Each structure stands twice: as structure tokens, then as C-alpha cells.
Amino acid sequence: MEYINVIERNVLIDEIPALVMTPKNNSGLHPTVILYHGWSSSIEKQSFRGFILSSLGYQVIIPCAIHHGSREPVDHSKAENAGKYFWKIIFNNIEESTKIIQFAVKELKADPERIGVCGNSMGGFTAAGVFASNTRLKALVVFNGSCNWNASNELFLEALNMEDVKAPEELQRKLNMYNPMGNLEHIINRPILILHGDSDTLVGIEAQREFYKEVSPKYDGSERLKFVEYPKLNHFVTTNMMEEAAIWFNKYL
């Protein structure tokens, strides 16, 4: 598809389907944002958010997660599938992120010094993990996600009435490995914007509050860390959130 100012195309990054949106008149290297979708969402459902960012001058890459789209999808309405696949998908997204970044630089003319990452819900968890694992990424925006995975996992287990279930050893190992809260040395003083509704019933805001309380003193008052709570907002991405994200990337990307 081609818009007035944006060219949209589907690409395959090894086995990863992705949607790429590139500003039509940009020459040279592109500032680039990798946008991760949430649980039960898709690259198509994120295309309008991608278009907003791309129309502002950013190349946007929206990868398809495993167990979504054409990648062996599961029934996302079943709570047991959320318990079984949620973290597996996030870990896989992080492990695939290096391929996406390399492809962006080699094949899509992405500026390696101007790549950011964002995502909503499960995509917000992913974006935070990708940011902590790839220290050359320049900016992070988390919509309704979490940078504090152990706390969020406890909330999930409680919501699924599984709080007495011990996490499998491999799951806990990877949680500890990729959890941004456990890798603060990799993210301190790098630009992080957290946007979250204070009435979110799917991904509780408490974990992000704990993360911000822990991390903000280490930023020593720097504007490179910002946490915005939206009163009475449930699990949605609003126009105001998209505006905040655009301002953030304009400042740090």
C-alpha cells in the first residue's frame, strides 16, 4: 500500500513477517522505530500507529510475533494459552530482535545510531526487554506494559488463580536474564518513556510504579526518564499517548 507520504510494504526477515513503513521523501539513512504488537494483536492492527510515526519522519518496522498471524497462531481468548505462551513469545521476540536490527541497517537503510523501540501491552514488555538487551538502541516507549517482570508475573498468576504455582525453572531463568528491572546497569540514563492508564485491568500499573520508584533516583533528576499516568484509563493507547511518544522520539532519536 502507498499513502501520500508513506510507503508501506511487507517483508520477510528470515522467517519473521514484518510490515515496514518508510517516509516517501526521506533520503539517506532513516531514523527507525521498531513497534511490537500485543497479545492477540497483529501487524495489520498496529499499522495505523505505525503510519502516525512514519508520517512524522520515522521508518517503522512492525514484526509479527510467534503464535500470531501466520506464525502458528493460537486461540488468544483462552486464559490457559496466555499462561502457556505469553512469556515464550516475549523471550522469542527478544531473541529475534538482533536479526531485525541487522536487517534494518543492511536492507532498509536504517541509521544504526538512531533506532528506537516501542510497544503496547505484551509489545511493551517486549520493547522493554529488547531495549535492555540491545544497548545501542537510543530510546524506549512502553505503552501499558512492564519493565518490572517478576512483579507483573505475580499479578498475572494471581489474576489467573495460579499464584500457588511455582514458575518452571527455565521460565524463571529467562525472566531473570531478560527482565529490565534485573538489568538496570544496561538501561540507566538511557531515554525511557512509560505511559500507562491507572485503571488498567489487564496489565496492572503497580509494577511500573515500582520500577519507576526504583530507577528514578539513579537518573538523578534527568529528563531522560518519564512516567505518565492517565487517570481512569483502562488498557488503551490514546491519542495523547501517541503524541507523547512522537515528542519523545523527536527529542531522543
Side-chain angles (χ1 to χ4, degrees), residues 36 38 86-87 90 118-129 140-149 151-153 155-156 180 193-197 200 202-209 211 227-228 234-237 241:
Y36 285 97
F86 182 82
W87 288 112
I90 292 171
C118 67
N120 174 51
S121 192
M122 182 185 76
F125 283 75
T126 291
L140 166 67
V141 178
V142 180
F143 303 105
N144 308 317
S146 178
C147 304
N148 183 5
W149 291 0
S152 290
N153 194 48
L155 293 172
F156 287 152
L193 173 63
I194 299 169
L195 307 170
H196 212 118
D200 194 324
L202 291 181
V203 179
I205 195 173
E206 294 83 1
Q208 290 292 61
R209 287 173 173 162
F211 174 81
F227 183 22
V228 182
N234 204 328
H235 196 66
F236 300 102
V237 176
M241 286 180 169

Side-chain angles (χ1 to χ4, degrees), residues 29-32 59 104-105 108-115 253:
L29 299 179
H30 305 296
T32 298
Q59 177 169 252
V105 172
L108 302 176
K109 297 176 64 178
D111 186 340
E113 300 302 321
R114 299 181 68 193
I115 300 177
L253 204 58

Side-chain angles (χ1 to χ4, degrees), residues 41-221:
S41 188
S42 66
I43 57 179
E44 292 79 15
K45 290 177 181 177
Q46 298 301 309
S47 63
F48 184 67
R49 291 171 189 159
F51 170 72
I52 291 172
L53 292 173
S54 191
S55 66
L56 295 173
Y58 303 101
Q59 177 169 252
V60 179
I61 303 170
I62 311 174
C64 180
I66 57 170
H67 304 306
H68 290 74
S70 61
R71 305 188 72 186
E72 299 182 0
V74 299
D75 185 344
H76 301 103
S77 66
K78 293 184 176 179
E80 60 266 31
N81 281 339
K84 183 176 181 180
Y85 294 109
F86 182 82
W87 288 112
K88 176 184 176 182
I89 292 168
I90 292 171
F91 300 149
N92 191 75
N93 281 342
I94 295 169
E95 289 158 5
E96 291 181 341
S97 65
T98 300
K99 292 181 184 178
I100 295 169
I101 295 167
Q102 290 174 346
F103 183 90
V105 172
K106 291 179 64 176
E107 305 295 336
L108 302 176
K109 297 176 64 178
D111 186 340
E113 300 302 321
R114 299 181 68 193
I115 300 177
V117 61
C118 67
N120 174 51
S121 192
M122 182 185 76
F125 283 75
T126 291
V130 169
F131 188 72
S133 300
N134 296 271
T135 56
R136 288 189 66 184
L137 296 179
K138 296 303 179 183
L140 166 67
V141 178
V142 180
F143 303 105
N144 308 317
S146 178
C147 304
N148 183 5
W149 291 0
N150 283 323
S152 290
N153 194 48
E154 289 176 6
L155 293 172
F156 287 152
L157 293 176
E158 181 179 347
L160 295 171
N161 295 315
M162 297 170 62
E163 59 263 39
D164 294 329
V165 178
K166 183 174 173 26
E169 185 175 335
E170 179 64 10
L171 169 61
Q172 192 60 56
R173 184 184 72 81
K174 286 197 170 185
L175 274 172
N176 294 337
M177 178 190 304
Y178 293 129
N179 184 5
M181 186 72 145
N183 290 280
L184 296 184
E185 70 277 11
H186 295 157
I187 62 178
I188 296 302
N189 291 323
R190 298 169 65 204
I192 299 175
L193 173 63
I194 299 169
L195 307 170
H196 212 118
D198 72 358
S199 300
D200 194 324
T201 57
L202 291 181
V203 179
I205 195 173
E206 294 83 1
Q208 290 292 61
R209 287 173 173 162
E210 289 180 17
F211 174 81
Y212 183 76
K213 183 178 179 180
E214 173 72 21
V215 172
S216 56
K218 303 179 189 302
Y219 274 75
D220 196 25

